[in-house]
Amino acid sequence: MNQIDDIAGGIVRHASDASMRNDVDWDMIRAGLLALADHPSGEVALNAALKRINDPDVRVALAVWFKRLAEEQQKAERKVKRPAETGLGPLQNTLMGLSGAAVIAGLAGTIAAPVAALVFLTIGIGAGTTWFGRMKLLDRADQYEGRTKALNRLAKLCEDPSEGS
């Protein structure tokens, strides 16, 4: 058996325990759910594991867990995206404008060319660094968004038995 199949089977067993009102370790379950969402074959593995159960309460528990984790991922996406858009975006634009203004001022003779070049270089490095940081944050937000979509697909698979057949 594949490792992702083992993870899917383990998650289904934990859901079975939860449906019988037994305590389960959310941290371990969370890691397994994320592994299923991140793995390209996670949906197939979960579908195979779901076919081996008859209890509808297990499917309900799994759907609730996937939705709960999808909400967590969506909140994390917003938390990461907000500073990238409201803080770093305007800062990047301002720094790019200032570096352009330094070039124009140097070409117009308003300030000495070496000073304009130094100002352009310094502000340009700041703008580049801001751009890089912003892109890293937006990339992380995209990863959270992708996980949210995958988790919602897995929840739908648990809710609708005919979905994966």
Side-chain angles (χ1 to χ4, degrees):
M1 268 204 154
N2 192 339
Q3 184 179 11
I4 198 68
D5 293 328
D6 293 340
I7 291 171
I11 292 298
V12 169
R13 282 189 297 278
H14 282 294
S16 178
D17 288 345
S19 70
M20 291 188 283
R21 309 288 187 244
N22 293 335
D23 289 335
V24 291
D25 182 13
W26 173 246
D27 292 331
M28 186 169 43
I29 291 167
R30 185 180 187 282
L33 297 175
L34 288 174
L36 285 173
D38 290 341
H39 197 278
S41 300
E43 197 169 328
V44 174
L46 180 63
N47 190 37
L50 287 173
K51 286 182 180 181
R52 292 184 228 126
I53 61 166
N54 294 332
D55 188 359
D57 291 341
V58 173
R59 287 180 172 272
V60 170
L62 284 168
V64 167
W65 289 347
F66 281 120
K67 287 178 182 179
R68 175 181 172 187
L69 194 53
E71 288 175 11
E72 280 182 25
Q73 295 296 303
Q74 195 171 32
K75 286 178 186 175
E77 174 196 357
R78 283 191 216 119
K79 192 174 185 178
V80 168
K81 203 176 226 180
R82 190 172 300 122
E85 295 300 328
T86 61
L88 292 178
L91 178 62
Q92 174 190 343
N93 292 336
T94 302
L95 291 174
M96 289 171 64
L98 288 173
S99 66
V103 169
I104 292 170
L107 292 174
T110 307
I111 59 176
V115 173
L118 181 64
V119 170
F120 170 76
L121 182 65
T122 304
I123 295 176
I125 289 171
T129 303
T130 304
W131 173 83
F132 182 76
R134 182 171 174 233
M135 292 302 110
K136 294 297 269 184
L137 284 176
L138 290 175
D139 182 50
R140 190 175 329 145
D142 288 345
Q143 290 173 355
Y144 285 128
E145 182 182 10
R147 263 191 186 162
T148 300
K149 288 178 182 177
L151 289 163
N152 284 327
R153 273 193 317 272
L154 293 171
K156 185 165 175 49
L157 181 69
C158 294
E159 291 172 339
D160 186 9
S162 64
E163 181 76 18
S165 299

